[in-house]
Amino acid sequence: MARGGRGRWGRCGRGALLACAAWTAGCVLAAALLLRAHPGVLSERCTDEKSRRILAALCQEFEGGALVGDLCEDLCVAGTLRYRRCLYYERGKKVLQADWRGRPVILKSKEEAFSSFEPLSLAEDAADGGQDFPEAELLLLVAGEVRSALGLELPNGSLGPLWPGGRGGRGRGRLASLWALVQQGEFVMLSLLQDLSRHAPPLLGSCGHFYAVEYLAAGSPRHRTLFPLHGAAGAPRGGRHQAKAISDMALSFLDLVRHFDDDFSHRLHLCDVKPENFAIRSDFTVVAIDVDMAFFEPKMREILEQNCTGDEDCNFFDCFSKCDLHIHRCGAERVNSNLQVICDKIFRHWFSSSLRTSAVPVQLQLQLRDAVQECADPRGTAGSPPRAAPDVFWKLQRLLQATQRELQEAEK
């Protein structure tokens, strides 16, 4: 009897243990899926109190001569660069909104504290004042950091925009500030794109490890049109106007794709495509406001070429390669494209259903929907290669231009 009782309790105990294990596994899986879909859920809480404290520490180090920048006087002395609100903290990155002489701007840094960046190792005479530090050696160090960040060899003349406040004296604070900035891939990328791309925000200045860009309202999946349009020229006032805005934005996305594919010495790959990483100017020009995950072709190949046991090991966010199972190595060439991911992550939202206007013929809307589907998922079409065919770009452009003509005719 006692033995039977122990058996029943043993069976119940094992059943409870299995149920507990199943419940735990389910929780772990749910948490993993949540983190995959929303990687920012464990990000540090973004607060005004902490943001003000971060900027106060920045100014304290500026006053002590540890760092410099052309925005430090405005932020720390004149008060013409004023903190407004915290936008987000994510994996150490701090993004704050401020007003600069009446103009909204964004302050960014990959790290909270200046001391978090690897210090520049200086010769003893340079550490005492920096004036005798050889410029050739400094350029070599900076070029090495740029090569590491971008995978590019740049001529010395193209490194000028990296200097905080422009080329000039090379005191300890200026050297340390420069070194903190060049350790931030996005800053280096924006410096390189300065005056070269209408689809990237211009750098406005820096103070220590923080750099400023123009404020543009980021997109969000919560918007029906993905991007806030209240500040845009001819802002939507109904179905036809909204359709016009969407076609304008879509054509600008196509221009961005062509520009990043063709207008530089190497193709520029976007590996994190989502509405939050883009903004729309008042003339509907698309701007890539977060380029932390943008890479030129040489760096992209370096990132993709890794060991693998299957194709899933060759996925780097939105940039995919394929696994060669003979050598268990990912191919260095990306097999999808910027256009394909934009069709999938942006255009599907706009064109998978009706444009909510009778001004555009139903047949044209169906053709546009099918072209977006073909672009986003070329494997869904028989005999198509994994990458979106080049002619789908021109098909989309032609259909969007036809949509615009129909909308313009309806306004007459």
Side-chain angles (χ1 to χ4, degrees):
M1 184 75 177
R3 190 165 51 248
R6 283 196 301 271
R8 283 195 298 274
W9 279 111
R11 285 194 294 274
C12 289
R14 284 195 296 273
L17 184 61
L18 288 171
C20 181
W23 179 82
T24 303
C27 288
V28 169
L29 177 60
L33 292 173
L34 178 64
L35 287 173
R36 183 182 178 96
H38 304 284
V41 293
L42 292 183
S43 295
E44 185 183 358
R45 186 168 169 238
C46 187
T47 67
D48 286 337
E49 180 185 1
K50 178 157 189 181
S51 299
R52 292 182 189 279
R53 196 162 64 242
I54 290 169
L55 294 181
L58 183 74
C59 287
Q60 187 173 8
E61 289 186 284
F62 165 66
E63 289 160 6
L67 57 83
V68 301
D70 47 5
L71 295 180
C72 289
E73 286 282 341
D74 286 3
L75 176 67
C76 304
V77 180
T80 50
L81 177 59
R82 296 177 179 273
Y83 170 81
R84 285 301 174 212
R85 64 185 177 121
C86 180
L87 294 180
Y88 65 88
Y89 302 160
E90 186 174 343
R91 297 187 294 275
K93 185 176 183 178
K94 303 295 183 282
V95 181
L96 317 174
Q97 185 178 341
D99 284 343
W100 183 39
R101 302 176 184 177
R103 174 185 184 181
V105 298
I106 301 293
L107 295 174
K108 289 185 172 185
S109 175
K110 189 174 76 171
E111 301 287 351
E112 172 183 329
F114 192 60
S115 59
S116 298
F117 292 92
E118 180 186 340
L120 177 63
S121 298
L122 302 177
E124 197 63 38
D125 55 352
D128 291 335
Q131 296 304 317
D132 298 323
F133 191 73
E135 175 149 334
E137 188 174 338
L138 177 61
L139 288 171
L140 194 63
L141 288 171
V142 173
E145 198 68 23
V146 171
R147 184 170 57 251
S148 174
L150 303 183
L152 299 180
E153 296 281 355
L154 298 180
N156 289 346
S158 64
L159 300 176
L162 294 171
W163 259 252
R167 300 286 283 271
R170 298 189 305 280
R172 176 189 285 183
R174 187 175 295 276
L175 291 174
S177 299
L178 168 64
W179 196 240
L181 290 170
V182 298
Q183 290 176 61
Q184 302 183 62
E186 183 177 63
F187 174 82
V188 175
M189 178 68 75
L190 291 177
S191 296
L192 185 63
L193 297 179
Q194 191 89 323
D195 302 324
L196 296 179
S197 178
R198 60 194 167 280
H199 294 293
L203 283 169
L204 303 176
S206 64
C207 179
H209 56 304
F210 273 88
Y211 55 96
V213 296
E214 66 176 319
Y215 171 79
L216 292 167
S220 168
R222 293 190 299 273
H223 293 294
R224 192 191 327 183
T225 56
L226 294 183
F227 300 95
L229 300 175
H230 53 271
R237 299 180 298 280
R240 188 170 72 244
H241 297 284
Q242 181 173 294
K244 174 67 166 59
I246 288 173
S247 63
D248 282 339
M249 290 187 292
L251 281 167
S252 186
F253 265 110
L254 290 184
D255 185 68
L256 176 148
V257 166
R258 185 206 56 75
H259 174 54
F260 285 177
D261 280 357
D262 301 334
D263 288 354
F264 306 117
S265 57
H266 297 282
R267 178 171 294 177
L268 181 57
H269 296 272
L270 301 176
C271 293
D272 190 11
V273 173
K274 57 187 177 184
E276 297 91 326
N277 286 347
F278 298 92
I280 306 294
R281 295 191 192 279
S282 60
D283 63 355
F284 297 110
T285 297
V286 175
V287 180
I289 57 173
D290 190 327
V291 292
D292 272 334
M293 298 289 288
F295 306 97
F296 284 104
E297 181 75 21
K299 187 68 176 181
M300 187 80 265
R301 296 177 72 86
E302 179 185 321
I303 290 169
L304 290 175
E305 201 170 22
Q306 304 294 329
N307 294 331
C308 61
T309 57
D311 286 348
E312 64 278 2
D313 296 330
C314 304
N315 296 348
F316 182 77
F317 296 85
D318 290 325
C319 294
F320 301 162
S321 177
K322 291 187 73 63
C323 182
D324 184 336
L325 293 176
H326 292 98
I327 59 173
H328 295 286
R329 192 79 172 163
C330 297
E333 184 178 359
R334 182 183 178 188
V335 298
N336 64 345
S337 66
N338 289 338
L339 176 62
Q340 192 172 340
V341 181
I342 285 170
C343 283
D344 185 31
K345 301 282 190 75
I346 307 292
F347 286 8
R348 274 193 205 264
H349 180 92
W350 286 335
F351 302 114
S352 60
S353 59
S354 166
L355 287 173
R356 297 185 179 88
T357 175
S358 59
V360 180
V362 173
Q363 185 62 28
L364 178 54
Q365 295 191 45
L366 291 175
Q367 288 177 326
L368 190 50
R369 183 197 65 189
D370 291 345
V372 168
Q373 174 65 24
E374 177 189 351
C375 172
D377 188 15
R379 282 166 291 198
T381 9
S384 290
R387 178 178 290 174
D391 62 346
V392 79
F393 176 95
W394 303 109
K395 184 187 295 187
L396 285 167
Q397 186 178 73
R398 186 174 66 253
L399 292 170
L400 287 166
Q401 289 170 341
T403 299
Q404 285 193 321
R405 286 194 296 272
E406 294 289 346
L407 291 166
Q408 288 164 0
E409 283 296 319
E411 289 180 355
K412 292 181 180 177

